[in-house]
Amino acid sequence: MDQFLYTTMLENAPDPGVDASFSPSSLSVGPGASATVTLDFSDAQARTVSWKLDVPDGVTASPSEGTATTPDAKVTVTLTGKTEGVHSVVVSGTGILDRALPVQVTDGTGTPRALTADFSGASVSSIDLSSGTTRNIAVGNNPGEVVVSADGHTAYAANQGSDTVSVIDVASGTVTAMVAVGKVPAGLALTPDGGTLWVANYTDGTVQSIDTGTLKTGTPVPVGDGPENMAITPDGRTLYVADIHDNTVSPVDLTTGKAGTAIPVGPSPFNVVAAPDGRTVYVSNSGGSTVTPIDTTTNETEPTFLVSGQAYGLGLSPDGRTLWVSPSNGDTITPIDTVTGAPGKQVTVGKSAFDVALNWNGSTAYVTTADGNALVPIDVTSGTAGPPFSTGAYPLAVALTP
């Protein structure tokens, strides 16, 4: 992509606002334990802004709001863990660039794992990221998507060739149930509370819910033609579905269970991810080289991001500031600055880089290379790829335990 265009864009871009950042940029505490972070507000000019922390139920923060005067203001915030899991604390305010702080609440036990959906292997690979060992778990035919619950105990695989969803106990590596769904389940998305799994039925043009407690399915909801991947906003209110044949995204109100007016995006939208602050969802247009941001308040599109090569898989950093884009038909992955839209240095990973996911604190990105039957880790700070992990045949998707 022509670097001159990006340089010109940045030079003429409007003032984005006051930049907020946390130090450290991630935090891990035990249940009931506390730790402090520094919230820094920086800007080239002097201005006073009001800020507020959006704090999820799993943690508490003090103070949770206040004012700050730039060019350089620092606030010490005390965070206390309540329930286990990874929780996103978002700082926002008028004139402030939102940023999220991932807070891991953990008792220190458990093993970090990656799970890949192996389309040609009829398996989900469970990879111990500490030891590098891989266990292939037999599921249905042609699994194309996998997601993991917030507590890391349960995974779900969409079996496109069997019209089922496999329920997997992550610790034992066993399938505990198979749920019949519509034709060619392509995408999966879990509500933030983990109580409902949504499935995109590609051939039917519908999405349907599964109660994760009872495993009962809900009434299918019509969306666009060829629903693929999906994302749910952090507040759990809206499901955004990529309709690959309509070149649209369907917003589904999860309170009413009805789809709203379809949102035109780029050619062949495939993947969708939601920002930690819930204000934006990003859509990869696999028929071209663009990513379309959607304002979730208005459901209007914002200026597209450009990448070199196909835009296919998406992974968003926990702070919401970097979007990683994989091409499926290429061997590199590209980071994009979500504030400026400018791409960073591409990282070579291997043939058919399909999907990407970041670990809980954003230090490592993991990319599936379908033709290589591998999962490639990328050190985000250095932008270098590490030794690959083995997977089953043709891994299309990856999900990480918290």
Side-chain angles (χ1 to χ4, degrees):
M1 193 58 61
D2 190 345
Q3 190 63 40
F4 172 76
L5 294 178
Y6 290 112
T7 302
T8 302
M9 176 187 69
L10 295 178
E11 290 176 348
N12 293 281
D15 178 14
V18 174
D19 194 15
S21 62
F22 291 95
S23 180
S25 58
S26 62
L27 191 67
S28 183
V29 296
S34 299
T36 62
V37 295
T38 300
L39 178 55
D40 182 84
F41 298 92
S42 59
D43 192 54
Q45 56 182 299
R47 64 174 101 179
T48 299
V49 292
S50 296
W51 61 270
K52 183 177 182 180
L53 296 179
D54 182 5
V55 184
D57 291 338
V59 294
T60 62
S62 180
S64 60
E65 58 184 318
T67 59
T69 301
T70 60
D72 189 20
K74 300 181 186 298
V75 179
T76 299
V77 178
T78 300
L79 293 154
T80 303
K82 292 173 60 180
T83 58
E84 289 189 272
V86 178
H87 311 283
S88 186
V89 176
V90 179
V91 59
S92 62
T94 302
I96 295 175
L97 295 172
D98 291 7
R99 189 186 293 268
L101 171 75
V103 180
Q104 181 189 56
V105 182
T106 176
D107 62 5
T109 63
T111 301
R113 290 185 175 275
L115 295 103
T116 63
D118 309 322
F119 188 80
S120 298
S123 66
V124 165
S125 294
S126 179
I127 304 168
D128 185 322
L129 296 175
S130 298
S131 67
T133 58
T134 299
R135 176 179 182 178
N136 291 333
I137 305 165
V139 292
N141 294 330
N142 305 122
E145 175 68 306
V146 60
V147 296
V148 181
S149 61
D151 60 12
H153 294 165
T154 308
Y156 303 90
N159 306 311
Q160 296 184 22
S162 300
D163 297 339
T164 59
V165 170
S166 295
V167 183
I168 302 168
D169 181 276
V170 174
S172 65
T174 57
V175 174
T176 59
M178 296 280 277
V179 182
V181 291
K183 294 181 180 179
V184 189
L188 298 174
L190 271 167
T191 55
D193 64 5
T196 306
L197 176 71
W198 282 88
V199 184
N201 299 314
Y202 175 87
T203 300
D204 293 344
T206 65
V207 296
Q208 69 181 126
S209 62
I210 299 175
D211 185 304
T212 58
T214 65
L215 298 185
K216 292 183 178 179
T217 57
T219 302
V221 179
V223 287
D225 187 8
E228 283 280 2
N229 291 292
M230 309 180 291
I232 297 174
T233 52
D235 61 11
R237 295 179 180 177
T238 310
L239 172 73
Y240 286 87
V241 187
D243 308 314
I244 194 167
H245 296 313
D246 284 347
N247 300 333
T248 61
V249 168
S250 293
V252 179
D253 186 320
L254 297 186
T255 302
T256 64
K258 296 181 179 180
T261 302
I263 305 164
V265 289
S268 303
F270 181 78
N271 220 321
V272 189
V273 294
D277 63 8
R279 297 182 179 183
T280 309
V281 294
Y282 301 96
V283 184
S284 64
N285 302 307
S286 65
S289 302
T290 61
V291 175
T292 302
I294 297 174
D295 184 321
T296 59
T297 301
T298 62
N299 280 341
E300 295 181 354
T301 59
E302 299 178 343
T304 57
F305 300 156
L306 303 176
V307 295
S308 178
Q310 186 186 32
Y312 199 82
L314 296 177
L316 188 62
S317 62
D319 67 358
R321 290 296 185 86
T322 306
L323 184 68
W324 291 81
V325 185
S326 58
S328 89
N329 60 1
D331 61 0
T332 61
I333 183 170
T334 305
I336 297 177
D337 185 314
T338 59
V339 175
T340 65
K345 180 182 177 181
Q346 291 183 326
V347 182
T348 300
V349 292
K351 291 183 179 180
S352 300
F354 255 83
D355 195 26
V356 56
L358 284 93
N359 64 343
W360 76 271
N361 63 3
S363 62
T364 308
Y366 293 89
V367 185
T368 60
T369 55
D371 284 336
N373 297 335
L375 180 70
V376 180
I378 297 173
D379 183 295
V380 168
T381 301
S382 65
T384 57
F389 300 97
S390 296
T391 68
Y394 215 71
L396 294 190
V398 58
L400 303 175
T401 61

